Amino acid sequence: MRPTMMLRPGCIQRGHIGTLTAVFSLQFLVLLPLLCYTMPFSLYFKLTTRRADASKQAVLLNRERVKRARGYIENLSTDNSRYYTSLLEKGNQVFLAVAVLTVNRPRSDDGNRTMGYLVQSATALDKFAKSREFMGKTFVFICNVDVKPHSHKDAVDLKRYLPFTERYGSSDFHSRDFHVPNNKTVTYDQMLHEDVYEKETYDYMYCMRVAQSLGPRYILMVEDDAVAHPDLAPVLHYTLGNHFGPNTDMIQQNKSFAYLKLYYPQRWQGFAFELIRLLELCSISCIGGGFFVFVMYVLTFVVKGRVMVNKLYGRYFLMGMLFLMLTAMAVGRQNVLELRRVSKYLYQFRSSPGCCTQAMLYPTHMVRPLVSHLAAAPPGTHTDLIIYNFTRTTGTPAFQLEPNLFYHVGMYTSLKIGNKRPDEFLFHL
């Protein structure tokens, strides 16, 4: 048997310094630039892509998605709306009510077309409602809160295909006029608002109350610029069944969660100087450290029959940590999170931040106290902050699921006209 040799620290460092330099150079100067220059939120995307070019690309991608969504809607039978309303007539309890809150928005740059946000959102949610996991127990409806509902062309066009209700108009599936909280004489359609944020809050309350009237177990509030990810059905089904439903040992948790946030702006999901995210980055780095040590063990002991001293293992572990840490930071946490989509079991819970309301899932029993809290808020307060304050006031936990289960398509907001950063709008469906 061939005797093994003990390698001195200096010898192994001199022998592999050139290899390590080549590995780092290949990774950060060749491979990552080639793979990441078109990847939003990566360092290389920021260095190589002008904002104006990214905005043009986002507009083109939006037009492609709108074209496909309109094609899907046009191929639906006009009895599609009847499919949903029949769920209410059968006497079966609706498991999930999905309210698509919408208001007329600015038209596209040429002034001739709408931006098509609502039709994208409606298409994705109709597919979701007819998925294997949610078929026959999910009610999707358009909640048009525009003061002039007939001016909202996209919402009017969708009336033939999906159930709808209008805060300042008619409804095709319920006839109740809901009163404003703490006022039994005034209904939502009788209220006009000078403050845009107050109107946004009361619009949200109205759509939530309509959804609650259907008697579902859960309510999914979706703004019209949020588009469901294809993984929404399997991930949400697993999450509700195993974390908040009867299949979990923590049955009491179902009574205590205020909401589950399914979208959070990607621009705020990067690595940051927060304890949780620093620990996450450190955990990712440890994988690199372990990999480097394994490779060096194979190269020295298995191949050459030599043994490294423990001190060298530690040095290579730190080198591997640095390698993967820099890689993760260059790729961007937003893109690292995408690896979790491999399995529904890999999605992670976080404590919910205050922003935003694009896609929120509520247990039905939370609606009444939440609506009362929203109505009591001072005018001018943002809806998402009022909802967040509700969780702080009541001590009810709220969660966020990562990665996002909704995309954001709203480059133009309904509250003010303006072009947002295009990075998070660069995606394909």
Side-chain angles (χ1 to χ4, degrees), residues 104-405:
N104 202 13
R105 291 172 179 265
R107 291 184 176 267
S108 57
D109 294 337
D110 60 15
N112 296 321
R113 295 186 300 270
T114 64
M115 297 302 294
Y117 299 155
L118 176 60
V119 69
Q120 295 179 64
S121 182
T123 294
L125 289 171
D126 185 68
K127 293 178 181 178
F128 160 75
K130 295 173 182 175
S131 64
R132 177 176 58 85
E133 294 86 354
F134 288 91
M135 181 78 170
K137 56 182 180 179
T138 303
F139 188 92
V140 178
F141 68 96
I142 306 298
C143 189
N144 185 354
V145 294
D146 202 274
V147 177
K148 299 177 180 179
H150 297 295
S151 68
H152 191 345
K153 185 180 184 301
D154 283 346
V156 172
D157 291 343
L158 286 171
K159 281 184 177 183
R160 294 183 297 166
Y161 305 102
L162 290 170
F164 72 93
T165 184
E166 297 168 343
R167 181 182 172 186
Y168 297 100
S170 59
S171 171
D172 72 341
F173 65 91
H174 80 94
S175 58
R176 294 175 55 187
D177 290 326
F178 298 105
H179 292 93
V180 174
N182 305 321
N183 192 328
K184 296 184 178 181
T185 61
V186 179
T187 57
Y188 283 93
D189 63 317
Q190 295 173 332
M191 290 191 67
L192 295 176
H193 311 273
E194 294 183 1
D195 184 87
V196 292
Y197 295 109
E198 182 185 61
K199 182 183 183 301
E200 181 190 49
T201 299
Y202 274 82
D203 290 343
Y204 202 85
M205 291 160 55
Y206 170 76
C207 296
M208 187 176 281
R209 287 285 289 116
V210 173
Q212 182 194 30
S213 71
L214 302 174
R217 184 173 179 182
Y218 295 101
I219 293 172
L220 179 57
M221 295 289 293
V222 180
E223 296 180 4
D224 61 2
D225 58 357
V227 177
H229 189 278
D231 291 342
L232 175 62
V235 175
L236 188 59
H237 182 263
Y238 170 78
T239 300
L240 295 179
N242 293 273
H243 292 285
F244 301 114
N247 295 333
T248 178
D249 294 331
M250 301 175 63
I251 296 177
Q252 293 300 317
Q253 189 176 11
N254 186 41
K255 298 180 180 180
S256 62
F257 93 97
Y259 59 80
L260 178 63
K261 192 184 295 287
L262 303 178
Y263 171 82
Y264 185 66
Q266 287 180 288
R267 62 183 179 276
W268 296 330
Q269 286 187 320
F271 291 112
F273 290 103
E274 300 175 5
L275 178 60
I276 296 298
R277 297 192 185 183
L278 289 175
L279 290 174
E280 182 180 331
L281 183 59
C282 183
S283 299
I284 294 173
S285 303
C286 287
I287 298 174
F291 179 75
F292 263 47
V293 169
F294 173 76
V295 170
M296 294 310 303
Y297 173 80
V298 171
L299 292 178
T300 56
F301 182 75
V302 177
V303 177
K304 298 182 179 180
R306 301 177 179 179
V307 177
M308 282 196 304
V309 296
N310 292 336
K311 187 176 183 180
L312 281 177
Y313 279 120
R315 291 179 180 176
Y316 280 110
F317 184 83
L318 292 176
M319 189 66 67
M321 284 188 66
L322 178 64
F323 179 82
L324 202 55
M325 178 184 292
L326 293 176
T327 297
M329 294 177 68
V331 172
R333 181 174 179 270
Q334 297 90 335
N335 297 306
V336 174
L337 280 175
E338 291 297 306
L339 297 175
R340 290 182 175 271
R341 298 195 191 277
V342 171
S343 171
K344 61 186 178 183
Y345 306 109
L346 297 180
Y347 282 72
Q348 66 180 358
F349 283 93
R350 291 174 55 88
S351 179
S352 175
C355 179
C356 300
T357 57
Q358 270 81 7
M360 308 267 282
L361 181 92
Y362 300 90
T364 301
H365 67 265
M366 279 290 170
V367 171
R368 191 171 298 277
L370 177 56
V371 166
S372 297
H373 187 84
L374 287 166
T381 310
H382 292 231
T383 306
D384 53 358
L385 298 182
I386 304 173
I387 295 173
Y388 181 68
N389 178 261
F390 170 78
T391 65
R392 305 282 294 218
T393 302
T394 61
T396 309
F399 304 102
Q400 171 197 347
L401 205 58
E402 286 186 330
N404 289 335
L405 284 172

